[in-house]
Amino acid sequence: MNTSLDHLSAGRRQLLKNAVAIIVKAVRPEKIILFGVYNNSADSIYDDMGLSQALPPATLTSVLGAFDLLIVTSEDDRRSDYELQDIIENRCREVVAVTALVHDIVYVNRRVKEGQYFFSMAVLEGTLLFDARRTPLARASLPDWEAVREMAERDFERWNRQAGDFFQSAEFIRAKRGWNTATFFLHQAAEQCYQAILLAFMGYKPTTHNLDKLRRYTNRFSVELAMLFPRDSEAEEGLFRLLSSGYVSARYKEEFTISEEEVGLLTERVRRLLNIAGRVCKNHFTSLGRKAAGGR
């Protein structure tokens, strides 16, 4: 496993150091592994312009993007993965943006031994940021790239097809002016699509209906995906919140309201999400095929 952060700027390394200190104090993990970085181009902005002094923390994290971290907890920690995830992301939020996947050491080692793609590659190519040295990670080996490609294509086809079905249902209900029900179907289309992307790229998807978490998990795979719901203005934040509330509020809460115009905007965003997903995942399958053939 890698331990060097020399490929990152000094500003990035300091942000990671801050994140590690917060996480270790908050949850006392077994290990912290960096497996992804979004918005690498912002490194030069951070270092050259000194934005760490010029901007408030919330703005700084939006400029610099986020770190994807696998938090490996001890076998004895009885808190749920989702509870720990919320603790980590909430504690880090005002200092550095992180997207945390949390699993205990027994689960991680079992998946590595099984040759599961995401966990094996996290061990092989991730960067170890912290190690409590209580329990070692299992030894990982390179996956069978052809098997990875076949499974990725199969899983993507299944989940993306479901996303398309929900989207068609949303368009049908929208034509009948059923704004709330259409919002629910749009949420389901977006959720299924994000999960399809995760399965295509990682062979893994977390069990969550939280669109913000699913969106953040996929940001590093495509700039187009990251910019689709930027949440960088009051209008963008409100639009995404409407979509996110489609899972529960649009179905069950009498006070939920959404306008025809807003449903139209969300329909176009989700349509773009489906199109981007198909394109970036197809490119990824091509890349996996080259690896399977021995190319790079």
Side-chain angles (χ1 to χ4, degrees):
M1 176 173 284
N2 301 318
T3 56
S4 172
L5 292 173
D6 289 345
H7 60 292
L8 299 178
S9 70
R12 284 279 179 151
R13 293 196 296 270
Q14 184 59 51
L15 286 176
L16 274 173
K17 182 178 179 181
N18 295 344
V20 168
I22 292 169
I23 295 167
V24 170
K25 182 178 180 180
V27 302
R28 300 188 179 279
E30 179 65 40
K31 304 179 195 302
I32 302 175
I33 299 170
L34 173 69
F35 67 87
V37 180
Y38 168 66
N39 198 12
N40 280 314
S41 61
D43 282 337
S44 60
I45 298 175
Y46 182 99
D47 290 331
D48 296 343
M49 299 180 64
L51 289 180
S52 59
Q53 302 299 320
L55 296 176
T59 305
L60 179 62
T61 55
S62 68
V63 170
L64 287 177
F67 300 105
D68 294 328
L69 304 176
L70 173 59
I71 312 299
V72 185
T73 57
S74 70
E75 183 180 4
D76 299 329
D77 196 326
R78 297 308 177 201
R79 292 171 291 183
S80 72
D81 296 341
Y82 298 111
E83 178 185 357
L84 293 170
Q85 181 187 54
D86 287 342
I87 290 172
I88 290 165
E89 293 183 355
N90 289 334
R91 298 281 178 88
C92 289
R93 180 167 288 119
E94 292 303 314
V95 178
V96 53
V98 302
T99 297
L101 294 176
V102 182
H103 292 288
D104 68 69
I105 186 68
V106 174
Y107 178 86
V108 171
N109 279 344
R110 183 173 75 250
R111 301 311 306 272
V112 171
K113 291 174 182 176
E114 292 170 350
Q116 198 282 332
Y117 173 54
F118 167 68
F119 291 98
S120 295
M121 296 309 294
V123 172
L124 286 171
E125 297 186 348
T127 301
L128 186 65
L129 303 177
F130 172 80
D131 189 356
R133 300 184 182 277
R134 291 185 292 261
T135 306
L137 285 165
R139 185 179 296 277
S141 57
L142 283 172
D144 178 336
W145 291 113
E146 181 59 24
V148 170
R149 183 192 63 78
E150 290 177 356
M151 181 174 292
E153 289 188 346
R154 183 171 63 248
D155 286 343
F156 177 78
E157 197 281 329
R158 174 194 168 192
W159 289 83
N160 192 55
R161 182 177 63 250
Q162 293 176 175
D165 290 343
F166 278 119
F167 184 75
Q168 289 181 11
S169 297
E171 289 194 302
F172 176 77
I173 297 298
R174 179 187 170 205
K176 296 170 67 68
R177 305 183 66 81
W179 312 137
N180 286 22
T181 305
T183 303
F184 165 69
F185 282 124
L186 288 171
H187 176 284
Q188 290 296 283
E191 178 186 328
Q192 302 285 310
C193 186
Y194 280 128
Q195 290 173 333
I197 297 166
L198 289 169
L199 285 166
F201 277 86
M202 300 169 63
Y204 163 90
K205 65 177 183 64
T207 305
T208 180
H209 299 290
N210 187 311
L211 278 192
D212 181 54
K213 290 182 179 180
L214 293 170
R215 177 189 66 86
R216 287 187 286 119
Y217 293 147
T218 64
N219 274 351
R220 64 192 178 94
F221 302 135
S222 162
V223 173
E224 286 184 281
L225 285 172
M227 295 306 296
L228 187 59
F229 290 105
R231 304 188 67 178
D232 56 359
S233 68
E234 185 176 343
E236 286 291 342
E237 177 69 15
L239 191 65
F240 187 76
R241 286 188 178 277
L242 281 172
L243 181 61
S244 297
S245 60
Y247 184 65
V248 174
S249 298
R251 288 188 292 170
Y252 301 123
K253 294 189 177 179
E254 203 172 310
E255 64 272 19
F256 178 85
T257 58
I258 186 170
S259 69
E260 178 179 2
E261 180 184 6
E262 289 166 334
V263 173
L265 289 171
L266 287 178
T267 299
E268 289 310 306
R269 290 294 180 92
V270 176
R271 189 194 311 278
R272 286 170 55 194
L273 174 61
L274 293 170
N275 289 336
I276 294 168
R279 185 167 61 255
V280 300
C281 289
K282 181 179 179 180
N283 291 340
H284 179 61
F285 300 147
T286 300
S287 177
L288 289 175
R290 286 197 296 267
K291 287 185 176 182
R296 294 291 175 184

